[in-house]
Amino acid sequence: MTESYVIIGDGIAGGSAAKTLREESPDADITVITDEGEPLYNRILIKEYAKGKIPMEDPLFLHDEEWYEERDIALELNTHVTHIDPDGHVVHTHEGDDYEYDALLVATGGTPRQLPVDNSDADGVHHFWTFQDARGIADHAEESEKGIVVGAGLLGIDFAAICGARGIEANYLMRGDCWWRYALSEDGAGIIHDALRELDVEPVFQSGVDHFVTDDDGQVTGAVDPNGEEFEGEFVGVSIGLDFNTEFLRGSGIETDDGIVVDEFMETNVEDIYAAGDITRFYDVILEEHAQNGSWDSAKKQGAVAAKNMTAADGEAEEFRHVSSYSISHFKDLPFVSFGHPTIGDDDRERKYSDTEWRRLTFKNGKLIGGVLIGDLKLQSVFKRIIREERDLEGQKDLLLEEDFEMEMLEAPAQEQ
Ligand SMILES: Cc1cc2nc3c(=O)[nH]c(=O)nc-3n(C[C@H](O)[C@H](O)[C@H](O)COP(=O)(O)OP(=O)(O)OC[C@H]3O[C@@H](n4cnc5c(N)ncnc54)[C@H](O)[C@@H]3O)c2cc1C
């Protein structure tokens, strides 16, 4: 009997799953359903499009419609899944169509959260997730002079870089004392603050948004922060996190906990239903607990692992074991990467080497689990290897801060002695 597989979502998790499913199962029926109007594109490069650095759209597409035709994969664009029936093994869409499956992959990611303040949906207040968002941001940024950025994290800084690249003078309103305060200290963040100022983006600390101000046409003209200070800006970028796209799972029995809970095989608690990508709260075998990870490489790998396991014979499932990384290249001569889990752990170490070089590492149970490198990324692969190998670093953590640290400086693992 021909197997049939349905994938909801054509981001990198869904796209990589479709590719792997076809490789693993040449004769299966495969359907990819997405509520976007275009097939898989490189979501991490749409910021370069919005900055004006990649002016053409074509290079951003990873799959065109022929890609699906050549592989005999049915692609349903502009189709929103409204609910699923796990007992009947059926997916229902907003147009009343039904898709039956033997195994289902949910790869629906998240939607940017709006600030819960007045006028947060005014014209000129942008949220950034899709190519369509990027087109609107690019058009508006091109004609704007003053900007406001909200959201002191990895996506908020993309808005700051767009302002910098488009010559928009901007204020970057942050709630705490520094950018990405969950992963950086003031020492590390200070390097980023200086780089922002060079782009004409001014960090404003202990701030945020109480409400947005609009003109009579409903166009945003500024923001008032909780201290009562008003900032002018007709271009506003808000990036304060994601709401995970799980509404259509209501009543399905699938366990959710701010995302879909899966094991290390990307399998949910409901038979024949898998999940991959940003949407998952997955069991991280290195961390030995459930975790989340909003990164491209992780979503891609999870999609491939899920697809293999959807087609695997009993007892042959592959586990997801991966150390992700997320880099920022907005600042000239100032590379930045975060890897693993830099915002959690029971211990950390950090050191500043110069005005542009800084390192912070996080640990759990004596093992390295993540970090952030600014200015010099040469040790990235060494640190990721240490995480993968789960090296016991008790009594040796400070060694990892040596400027010219090498793997050989660590004691050999117990089994090798
Ligand atoms: C501007 C920007 C810059 C980024 N930069 C980086 C970076 O530099 N490095 C990095 O590692 N990561 C970066 N990321 C994050 C990275 O892009 C994501 O982690 C990754 O794309 C997640 O892929 P995914 O397939 O899990 O989800 P998504 O890409 O979000 O795909 C989910 C898809 O499912 C669709 N969908 C949702 N609900 C339904 C439904 N009910 N029915 C049908 N379809 C549905 C959505 O419309 C979407 O197309 C960036 C993200 C953005 C937005």
Side-chain angles (χ1 to χ4, degrees), residues 274-287:
Y274 295 74
D278 283 7
I279 190 82
T280 63
R281 178 172 286 283
F282 63 98
Y283 186 75
D284 186 317
V285 293
I286 298 174
L287 210 55

Side-chain angles (χ1 to χ4, degrees), residues 8-14 33-36 41 43-47 79-82 107-110 128-130 155 158 245 247-248 276-279 293-297 299 325-327:
I8 312 173
D10 192 29
I12 187 59
I33 304 173
T34 172
D35 58 11
E36 288 196 63
Y41 53 85
R43 201 178 294 287
I44 69 178
L45 283 185
I46 55 176
K47 57 193 159 202
T79 306
H80 185 74
V81 171
T82 49
T108 47
F128 200 4
W129 197 257
T130 65
L155 291 178
D158 289 346
N245 297 321
E247 347 46 76
F248 65 97
D278 283 7
I279 190 82
N293 195 334
S295 76
W296 181 266
D297 63 350
S325 46
Y326 191 120
S327 44

Side-chain angles (χ1 to χ4, degrees), residues 195-252:
L196 287 166
R197 290 187 187 102
E198 280 186 26
L199 295 181
D200 229 354
V201 174
E202 185 59 37
V204 182
F205 306 114
Q206 307 295 355
S207 181
V209 179
D210 179 78
H211 62 277
F212 290 108
V213 184
T214 60
D215 63 16
D216 293 343
D217 298 327
Q219 158 71 44
V220 71
T221 56
V224 176
D225 82 358
N227 311 312
E229 193 169 346
E230 182 162 349
F231 298 88
E232 264 183 65
E234 68 275 18
F235 176 89
V236 175
V238 176
S239 207
I240 56 162
L242 295 179
D243 289 323
F244 295 105
N245 297 321
T246 54
E247 347 46 76
F248 65 97
L249 299 177
R250 219 173 293 127
S252 67

Side-chain angles (χ1 to χ4, degrees), residues 194-416:
D194 289 344
L196 287 166
R197 290 187 187 102
E198 280 186 26
L199 295 181
D200 229 354
V201 174
E202 185 59 37
V204 182
F205 306 114
Q206 307 295 355
S207 181
V209 179
D210 179 78
H211 62 277
F212 290 108
V213 184
T214 60
D215 63 16
D216 293 343
D217 298 327
Q219 158 71 44
V220 71
T221 56
V224 176
D225 82 358
N227 311 312
E229 193 169 346
E230 182 162 349
F231 298 88
E232 264 183 65
E234 68 275 18
F235 176 89
V236 175
V238 176
S239 207
I240 56 162
L242 295 179
D243 289 323
F244 295 105
N245 297 321
T246 54
E247 347 46 76
F248 65 97
L249 299 177
R250 219 173 293 127
S252 67
I254 294 179
E255 187 186 354
T256 59
D257 174 15
D258 197 24
I260 299 175
V261 179
V262 291
D263 60 17
E264 61 272 43
F265 306 110
M266 302 292 113
E267 204 168 353
T268 71
N269 60 316
V270 173
E271 205 177 358
D272 300 325
I273 301 184
Y274 295 74
D278 283 7
I279 190 82
T280 63
R281 178 172 286 283
F282 63 98
Y283 186 75
D284 186 317
V285 293
I286 298 174
L287 210 55
E288 296 179 336
E289 62 178 287
H290 277 83
Q292 271 173 314
N293 195 334
S295 76
W296 181 266
D297 63 350
S298 179
K300 185 175 182 183
K301 179 96 193 275
Q302 286 195 0
V305 168
K308 280 195 181 147
N309 294 341
M310 288 163 79
T311 56
D314 281 350
E316 287 181 12
E318 182 181 310
E319 70 176 21
F320 174 71
R321 186 184 180 81
H322 181 68
V323 182
S324 70
S325 46
Y326 191 120
S327 44
I328 293 176
S329 51
H330 294 310
F331 307 113
K332 196 168 170 289
D333 302 326
L334 191 69
F336 173 106
V337 70
S338 78
F339 54 91
H341 297 282
T343 59
I344 56 176
D346 54 27
D347 197 7
D348 63 273
R349 295 283 191 282
E350 68 169 77
R351 190 170 295 171
K352 190 170 178 182
Y353 303 89
S354 73
D355 287 347
T356 55
E357 277 180 40
W358 180 83
R359 191 183 301 170
R360 178 169 179 268
L361 302 166
T362 52
F363 302 87
K364 183 187 168 198
N365 297 335
K367 295 176 187 168
L368 184 65
I369 57 164
V372 175
L373 307 177
I374 301 178
D376 182 353
L377 313 190
K378 69 173 180 295
L379 288 172
Q380 179 188 178
S381 53
V382 175
F383 290 144
K384 286 174 74 171
R385 184 176 149 202
I386 291 174
I387 298 177
R388 269 195 306 275
E389 291 182 358
E390 301 185 50
R391 296 285 287 259
D392 179 6
L393 300 168
E394 219 50 271
Q396 307 184 84
K397 291 174 187 169
D398 288 327
L399 277 178
L400 273 58
L401 293 179
E402 294 286 325
E403 193 158 11
D404 294 313
F405 170 76
E406 291 176 6
M407 197 78 172
E408 293 66 37
M409 291 161 81
L410 294 177
E411 286 168 16
Q415 67 270 25
E416 288 176 20

Side-chain angles (χ1 to χ4, degrees), residues 15-33:
S16 99
K19 176 172 179 288
T20 309
L21 275 177
R22 177 50 79 221
E23 286 162 4
E24 299 289 319
S25 198
D27 300 322
D29 289 333
I30 303 173
T31 304
V32 178
I33 304 173

